[in-house]
C-alpha cells in the first residue's frame, strides 16, 4: 500500500503544481510566469517527486508511464490497475484542492478551461484533432524513451530524475500550444472531472494517445538498445 500511496501523493503534486501554475500563475497581472513557467512547473513536479518517492514506487505518476514500463518489461502487470487507480484519484484530489483555491477569486469560471486539454476550438492554438493526436503520441513516446534510457542500469547513476524532469519541461514547451499538453491521462482526467462538458467529451484522446505513445516508446527503446545487461 505504501507504493500506491506514493503514487497518489506524487500525482497529487504533479497536478497541483503543474495545473496550479497554469490556472493561478500563468497570466497573473504583471508577474505572470507564462508558457515557460508552466513548462518548468510540470518538469519540477516530476523531478522533485522522483527524488522523493522514486525509491518507494518508481514515481510513475502517469498511467501511460506505468503501461509503457510494463511494455518495456520493467513493471509487473499485477500492479497496473492499483497504480492507475491511485494516480487518477491523486490527480482528482489535487483538482479539487485547486478548484477550492481558484474559486476563491471573484470572477473565476470553469468555462475558462481550468488547464484542461483539448483540440479544435479548445486547443490553445486552434490545432485540429489529428494534430493533437500526433502530438500526444509522439511526445509520450519520447517521454518513455527518455525514462527507460535514464533508468537503464547501464545509464549514469543518480541523474534519472533530472533527465526525466527536463524532458517533461521540453515536452510542454513544444506542445502547450497544441493540446495544453497532456502526455498523462491522470493529469487530463483530474481537471476534466471538474470542467465536464467538452473537456470530458474530448478526454478519450488524452487517454488513447498517451497510452499508445508510451507503449510505442517502450517498443522503440527495446529495439534500439536490446535487452538490458
Amino acid at each position: 500500500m505504501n507504493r500506491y500511496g506514493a503514487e497518489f501523493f506524487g500525482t497529487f503534486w504533479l497536478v497541483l503544481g503543474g495545473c496550479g501554475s497554469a490556472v493561478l500563475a500563468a497570466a497573473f497581472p504583471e508577474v505572470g510566469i507564462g508558457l515557460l513557467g508552466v513548462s518548468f512547473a510540470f518538469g519540477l513536479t516530476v523531478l522533485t517527486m522522483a527524488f522523493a518517492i522514486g525509491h518507494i514506487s518508481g514515481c510513475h505518476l502517469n498511467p501511460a508511464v506505468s503501461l509503457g514500463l510494463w511494455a518495456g518489461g520493467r513493471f509487473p502487470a499485477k500492479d497496473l490497475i492499483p497504480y492507475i487507480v491511485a494516480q487518477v484519484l491523486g490527480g482528482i484530489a489535487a483538482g479539487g484542492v485547486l478548484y477550492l483555491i481558484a474559486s476563491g477569486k471573484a470572477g473565476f469560471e470553469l468555462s475558462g478551461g481550468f488547464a484542461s486539454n483539448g483540440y479544435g476550438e479548445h486547443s490553445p492554438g486552434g490545432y485540429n484533432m489529428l494534430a493533437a493526436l500526433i502530438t500526444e503520441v509522439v511526445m509520450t513516446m519520447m517521454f518513455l524513451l527518455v525514462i527507460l534510457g535514464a533508468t537503464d542500469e547501464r545509464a549514469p547513476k543518480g541523474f534519472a530524475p533530472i533527465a526525466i524532469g527536463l524532458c517533461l519541461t521540453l515536452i510542454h514547451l513544444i506542445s502547450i500550444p497544441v493540446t495544453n499538453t497532456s502526455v498523462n491521462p491522470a493529469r487530463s482526467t483530474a481537471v476534466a472531472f471538474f470542467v465536464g462538458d467538452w473537456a470530458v467529451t474530448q478526454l478519450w484522446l488524452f487517454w488513447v494517445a498517451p497510452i499508445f505513445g508510451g507503449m510505442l516508446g517502450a517498443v522503440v527503446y527495446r529495439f534500439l538498445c536490446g535487452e538490458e545487461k
Side-chain angles (χ1 to χ4, degrees):
M1 291 300 296
N2 62 334
R3 290 182 295 149
Y4 309 145
E7 286 298 301
F8 177 94
F9 284 105
T11 312
F12 177 94
W13 184 232
L14 183 146
V15 171
L16 187 61
C19 294
S21 71
V23 172
L24 303 174
F28 190 77
E30 299 181 8
V31 291
I33 62 175
L35 185 153
L36 179 62
V38 173
S39 298
F40 270 104
F42 272 101
L44 288 170
T45 62
V46 171
L47 189 154
T48 53
M49 271 296 146
F51 279 116
I53 66 168
H55 56 286
I56 301 172
S57 68
C59 191
H60 298 188
L61 319 184
N62 182 340
V65 170
S66 295
L67 285 160
L69 291 173
W70 167 75
R74 300 275 194 89
F75 191 65
K78 66 181 179 64
D79 285 332
L80 280 174
I81 292 178
Y83 261 57
I84 291 171
V85 169
Q87 292 156 2
V88 171
L89 291 179
I92 291 174
V97 171
L98 180 57
Y99 174 77
L100 291 174
I101 296 170
S103 61
K105 179 181 178 180
F108 169 76
E109 294 182 359
L110 284 171
S111 59
F114 201 51
S116 292
N117 303 112
Y119 53 84
E121 64 179 315
H122 301 294
S123 158
Y127 290 85
N128 64 21
M129 184 179 72
L130 180 60
L133 185 68
I134 294 171
T135 298
E136 290 294 324
V137 168
V138 173
M139 295 299 156
T140 315
M141 178 188 75
M142 296 306 299
F143 192 34
L144 261 293
L145 195 62
V146 170
I147 290 171
L148 288 165
T151 57
D152 192 309
E153 63 180 26
R154 295 167 290 183
K157 306 301 180 186
F159 295 100
I162 298 172
I164 295 166
L166 289 177
C167 179
L168 189 60
T169 298
L170 177 58
I171 286 169
H172 279 78
L173 288 171
I174 297 167
S175 59
I176 284 178
V178 184
T179 62
N180 226 14
T181 309
S182 171
V183 302
N184 184 340
R187 169 262 188 268
S188 298
T189 303
V191 287
F193 180 85
F194 294 91
V195 174
D197 193 23
W198 65 266
V200 172
T201 301
Q202 295 191 353
L203 184 60
W204 68 270
L205 187 144
F206 302 104
W207 274 85
V208 172
I211 287 173
F212 179 76
M215 296 180 77
L216 183 61
V219 171
V220 171
Y221 184 77
R222 295 187 101 172
F223 171 76
L224 291 176
C225 299
E227 292 299 321
E228 296 176 22
K229 306 294 184 184

